[in-house]
């Protein structure tokens, strides 16, 4: 299933993609797609989507999962991305947190912070947790995954790398976490380690990678993270980015207001964002 949420920010309603490509409203079936309902997605499978109301294509698409408790990110998780930044291959996954207030819809504007000169892009495979996980084995980890989505891990590199402390400073600005358009259930993605992924800025392709070059795969990450914190339904794991980020260009290239970002992952849909200057 391809599930999504649509409508004004904070008032999103659940929907699904029907076989004919139309979006169908699920409000009569499920209250939302969020931690309280993600275990009930089986109810959606039994519904004839063609019998449900069609969603106006002009509606805003929101984040595909609502009210996530945690937004956990993995740094330097692609060997070719680590190489472009001059970093060593990590011996264990590098973890940091992205503020949940950064989460937005896949096509919402990206806000360039006041004075920012190093805002960057990162297409990433997102993993949404479906069942609580604590100290799970790698062999059992995939049983805790509800599905997958596209994430743009927008980053302000000066905040991240030049302001001291952890990476979190450069990762959590409002709008820095577009998620979606779809939550694609795990049964539709038999191998999350074989997905093409790409990102363009103003029509120029900067990232063109595949999840097979991950250093630590999805099962490893779910198991590993569950050793340090419980994973709860609705939590998001952003699994790292392939090469081609702005920081890795020679010379580096960063975002400015008025640009268009397009990105996507095989089978998971596409995002399109405009960059805008902060209004404060």
């Amino acid at each position: 299933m391809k599930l999504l949420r649509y409508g004004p920010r904070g008032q999103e309603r659940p929907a699904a993609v029907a076989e004919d490509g139309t979006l169908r409203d699920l409000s009569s079936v499920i209250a939302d797609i969020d931690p309280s309902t993600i275990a009930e997605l089986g109810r959606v499978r039994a519904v004839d989507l063609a019998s449900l109301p069609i969603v106006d294509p002009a509606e805003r698409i929101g984040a595909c999962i609502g009210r996530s408790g945690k937004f956990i990110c993995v740094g330097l998780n692609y060997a070719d991305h680590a190489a472009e930044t001059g970093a060593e291959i990590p011996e264990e996954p590098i973890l940091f947190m992205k503020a949940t207030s950064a989460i937005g819809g896949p096509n919402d504007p990206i806000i360039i912070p006041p004075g920012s000169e190093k805002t960057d892009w990162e297409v990433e495979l997102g993993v949404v947790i479906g069942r609580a996980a604590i100290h799970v084995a790698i062999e059992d980890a995939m049983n805790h995954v509800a599905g997958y989505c596209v994430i743009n891990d927008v980053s302000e590199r000066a905040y991240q790398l030049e302001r001291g402390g952890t990476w979190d400073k450069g990762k959590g600005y409002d709008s820095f976490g577009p998620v979606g358009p779809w939550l694609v259930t795990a049964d539709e993605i038999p191998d999350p380690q074989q997905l093409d992924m790409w990102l363009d800025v103003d029509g120029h392709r900067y990232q063109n990678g595949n999840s097979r070059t991950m250093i630590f795969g999805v099962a490893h990450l779910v198991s590993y993270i569950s050793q340090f914190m419980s994973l709860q339904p609705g939590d998001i794991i952003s699994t790292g980015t392939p090469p081609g980020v702005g920081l890795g260009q020679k010379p580096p290239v960063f975002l400015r207001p008025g640009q268009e970002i397009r990105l996507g992952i095989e089978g998971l849909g596409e995002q399109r964002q405009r960059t805008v200057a902060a209004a404060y």
Side-chain angles (χ1 to χ4, degrees):
M1 294 185 295
K2 294 181 175 67
L3 304 168
L4 66 147
R5 300 166 68 248
Y6 75 94
R9 182 182 292 273
Q11 302 175 44
E12 291 91 347
R13 298 162 62 111
V17 181
E19 288 188 9
D20 62 1
T22 58
L23 307 183
R24 301 290 177 144
D25 184 278
L26 291 174
S27 299
S28 63
V29 181
I30 196 167
D32 198 355
I33 302 166
D34 65 13
S36 69
T37 61
I38 202 165
E40 305 173 26
L41 297 183
R43 291 165 50 191
V44 179
R45 299 182 191 280
V47 174
D48 176 15
L49 294 179
S51 68
L52 299 177
I54 294 177
V55 176
D56 184 343
E59 288 276 5
R60 170 188 174 268
I61 303 300
C64 60
I65 179 74
R67 291 176 280 282
S68 295
K70 292 192 287 296
F71 196 165
I72 307 157
C73 299
V74 185
L76 299 175
N77 194 35
Y78 282 69
D80 34 12
H81 171 55
E84 77 171 340
T85 64
E88 295 184 2
I89 301 297
E91 296 183 3
E92 295 189 36
I94 297 171
L95 304 181
F96 60 93
M97 306 295 282
K98 202 172 181 81
T100 55
S101 54
I103 294 174
N107 306 316
D108 291 347
I110 299 296
I111 302 170
I112 306 296
S116 167
E117 296 182 352
K118 296 184 179 180
T119 299
D120 204 347
W121 58 82
E122 296 187 18
V123 59
E124 304 204 1
L125 171 64
V127 177
V128 178
I129 298 298
R131 287 201 299 126
I134 182 70
H135 295 291
V136 298
I138 291 178
E139 296 77 15
D140 184 45
M142 301 303 280
N143 293 323
H144 296 264
V145 173
Y148 305 94
C149 60
V150 181
I151 292 174
N152 188 356
D153 176 20
V154 184
S155 309
E156 212 299 341
R157 300 302 189 187
Y159 298 178
Q160 176 188 355
L161 302 172
E162 302 170 21
R163 300 290 294 273
T166 66
W167 289 3
D168 303 54
K169 290 179 184 177
K171 298 288 189 170
Y173 201 77
D174 288 0
S175 82
F176 274 21
V179 176
W182 310 321
L183 169 57
V184 181
T185 51
D187 59 293
E188 289 204 11
I189 307 295
D191 186 357
Q193 307 305 154
Q194 293 292 332
L195 301 177
D196 288 331
M197 48 207 308
W198 57 272
L199 183 144
D200 298 347
V201 180
D202 289 340
H204 178 83
R205 180 140 304 176
Y206 283 97
Q207 292 190 272
N208 193 15
N210 188 286
S211 58
R212 65 174 169 265
T213 67
M214 278 189 193
I215 299 166
F216 306 104
V218 171
H220 185 117
L221 292 174
V222 172
S223 173
Y224 182 86
I225 295 169
S226 79
Q227 312 307 309
F228 300 96
M229 66 192 81
S230 65
L231 291 170
Q232 301 296 326
D235 285 352
I236 301 168
I237 302 172
S238 199
T239 58
T241 196
V245 300
L247 180 66
Q249 306 303 307
K250 301 188 185 307
V253 176
F254 297 113
L255 295 167
R256 61 186 186 277
Q259 294 186 288
E260 181 184 68
I261 309 170
R262 296 187 64 184
L263 60 148
I265 298 178
E266 180 183 356
L268 303 182
E270 299 183 8
Q271 300 185 355
R272 178 181 293 190
Q273 297 119 20
R274 297 290 297 181
T275 55
V276 299
Y280 34 78

